[in-house]
Amino acid sequence: MNHFLTDTEMASLVEAIKIAEDHSSGEIRVHIDSIAEDDFAKKAFAIFNSLEMHLTKERNGVLFYVNFEQHYLTIIGDEGIHKKVKQQFWDDLHDEVTSEFAKENYYKGLKDAILKTGLELKKYFQISGENINELPNDISFS
């Protein structure tokens, strides 16, 4: 793992998630998988569900599922955010991240995508009152 992201970069990604979620009810998670699978998409959706991302009040959870070794990334936006931003947003975001990954800019690719996602969440899911963090901001692993 350390040859893709340092401990400092991972801590900075957690901070980026906090910043991205600020002033929005949206929830962002990053999951890094290091297990070779036959069906990454199926595994990504299983992780999305196991992290309970589909249980947010406004269905606005976003998961960045990455397997660096297998060169795989998928971004899953729950139905609430997906209805607002549409598929083109996810496709463009995926292209931007994988372009950075191709240059071995793993940290930059993820951080930029997290912050861009946060801007979209702020457009559509503003908060009034207390901003309850429904899900942890930490990076999960398998």
Side-chain angles (χ1 to χ4, degrees):
M1 171 54 60
N2 287 339
H3 58 282
F4 294 105
L5 295 171
T6 67
D7 289 343
T8 301
E9 288 171 334
M10 286 190 285
S12 182
L13 288 175
V14 171
E15 287 302 313
I17 291 169
K18 290 176 185 173
I19 291 167
E21 290 180 357
D22 196 29
H23 305 296
S24 158
S25 65
E27 296 291 336
I28 299 171
R29 297 290 308 264
V30 173
H31 183 85
I32 300 174
D33 188 8
S34 59
I35 301 169
E37 294 283 336
D38 291 333
D39 190 344
F40 286 111
K42 184 177 178 181
K43 174 89 180 272
F45 278 100
I47 295 294
F48 185 88
N49 289 326
S50 73
L51 295 174
E52 299 184 341
M53 301 208 58
H54 62 295
L55 299 179
T56 61
K57 183 179 179 183
E58 296 188 70
R59 301 293 303 264
N60 56 3
V62 178
L63 174 66
F64 291 88
Y65 173 91
V66 184
N67 187 310
F68 291 114
E69 291 90 355
Q70 301 297 318
H71 307 284
Y72 184 83
L73 165 74
T74 194
I75 306 165
I76 301 172
D78 204 356
E79 64 184 38
I81 183 65
H82 184 71
K83 286 178 185 176
K84 303 287 186 183
V85 301
K86 310 294 186 218
Q87 187 62 42
Q88 190 63 51
F89 173 77
W90 306 119
D91 293 343
D92 292 347
L93 192 62
H94 184 275
D95 290 348
E96 291 167 18
V97 176
T98 55
S99 175
E100 290 298 327
F101 283 8
K103 297 182 267 187
E104 299 184 1
N105 294 331
Y106 306 109
Y107 168 72
K108 180 180 183 341
L110 282 173
K111 183 178 179 186
D112 290 352
I114 288 166
L115 296 174
K116 187 171 186 175
T117 300
L119 293 174
E120 292 301 304
L121 288 167
K122 288 174 191 175
K123 281 184 198 175
Y124 301 111
F125 298 98
Q126 301 90 12
I127 57 161
S128 57
E130 185 181 0
N131 187 5
I132 298 171
N133 194 16
E134 295 180 79
L135 298 172
N137 296 330
D138 58 341
I139 297 171
S140 57
F141 300 90
S142 59

